[in-house]
Amino acid sequence: EVQLMDSGGGLVQPGGSLRLSCAASGFSFSTYSMNWVRQTPGKGLEWVSYISAGGDTIYYADSVKGRFTISRDNAEKSLYLEMDSLRDEDTALYYCVRELWSAGYRLWDYWGQGTLVTVSS
Amino acid sequence: DIQMTQSPPSLSAAVGDRVTITCRASRRISGDLNWFQQKSGQAPKLLIYAVSSLQSGVPSRFTGSGSGTDFTLTISTLQPEDFATYYCQQTQSAPFTFGPGTKVDI
């Protein structure tokens, strides 16, 4: 059974840092690209970052570029999101998401349960 | 960036109704258009990918259609468990953007 377990969220002050983790099981993690997506009541669903299966291709949303770093450890079957210089507007539920290619189309088929990040003084 | 809009923002329907949700992209999408269902307290669930392909395990009452900039999700016969919020998403190019969602009340 495919499982993605998000963790690492919590309360942090503005300007602080946090590291999110996503532990994968039930599939060959090293052969799948992964994404981080966040959700707030006010802004809905927002894609945050992408990393290819081998870690050689990375994308970021403009809103987090220069502050967040995505990485992965295929041996440990884990995905990470290092978040620095956190702002109030980074407060959200963060999901890791598995990406699959089917017939030339990108689709996101499995999501973690989410980990809540709250940025507040 | 490709902006996604949805209509209506919310709707009320009865069990057995046919429901249609519309999604519009700010520029042409080749086919990388997906639909997600999200129930309260749960992560989004993939329903439809590549405009009209039904994800494994999803009931056939869900269908997707459209092309270019205009896309539609149809629920043919609404069931009580379909109470949820529905999002469209484009995965043609980063940033991979979502629509604002359509909340379906039963």
Side-chain angles (χ1 to χ4, degrees), chain A residues 35 37 39 44-47 50 59-62 95 99-102 104-114, chain B residues 1 30-34 36 38 41-46 49-50 55 87 89 91-92 94-100:
Chain A
N35 293 269
V37 174
Q39 184 169 31
L45 290 164
E46 180 187 17
W47 167 78
Y50 160 93
Y59 304 131
Y60 296 101
D62 285 346
Y95 296 100
E99 181 171 300
L100 175 66
W101 282 84
S102 177
Y105 293 100
R106 184 196 308 260
L107 61 106
W108 297 357
D109 61 345
Y110 281 95
W111 295 56
Q113 84 285 0
Chain B
D1 298 358
S30 61
D32 297 273
L33 190 285
N34 311 307
F36 292 89
Q38 187 177 32
Q42 298 183 16
K45 172 188 173 183
L46 179 66
Y49 65 94
Q55 172 66 351
Y87 297 92
Q89 179 214 24
T91 45
Q92 174 167 289
F96 307 118
T97 43
F98 292 86

Side-chain angles (χ1 to χ4, degrees), chain B residues 31-85:
Chain B
D32 297 273
L33 190 285
N34 311 307
W35 290 95
F36 292 89
Q37 176 193 66
Q38 187 177 32
K39 297 180 179 180
S40 180
Q42 298 183 16
K45 172 188 173 183
L46 179 66
L47 297 177
I48 301 282
Y49 65 94
V51 180
S52 59
S53 297
L54 196 66
Q55 172 66 351
S56 175
V58 174
S60 59
R61 63 180 179 272
F62 292 94
T63 58
S65 63
S67 64
T69 60
D70 296 315
F71 303 90
T72 299
L73 173 69
T74 299
I75 309 172
S76 60
T77 308
L78 200 65
Q79 298 299 303
E81 61 267 30
D82 299 336
F83 165 72
T85 300

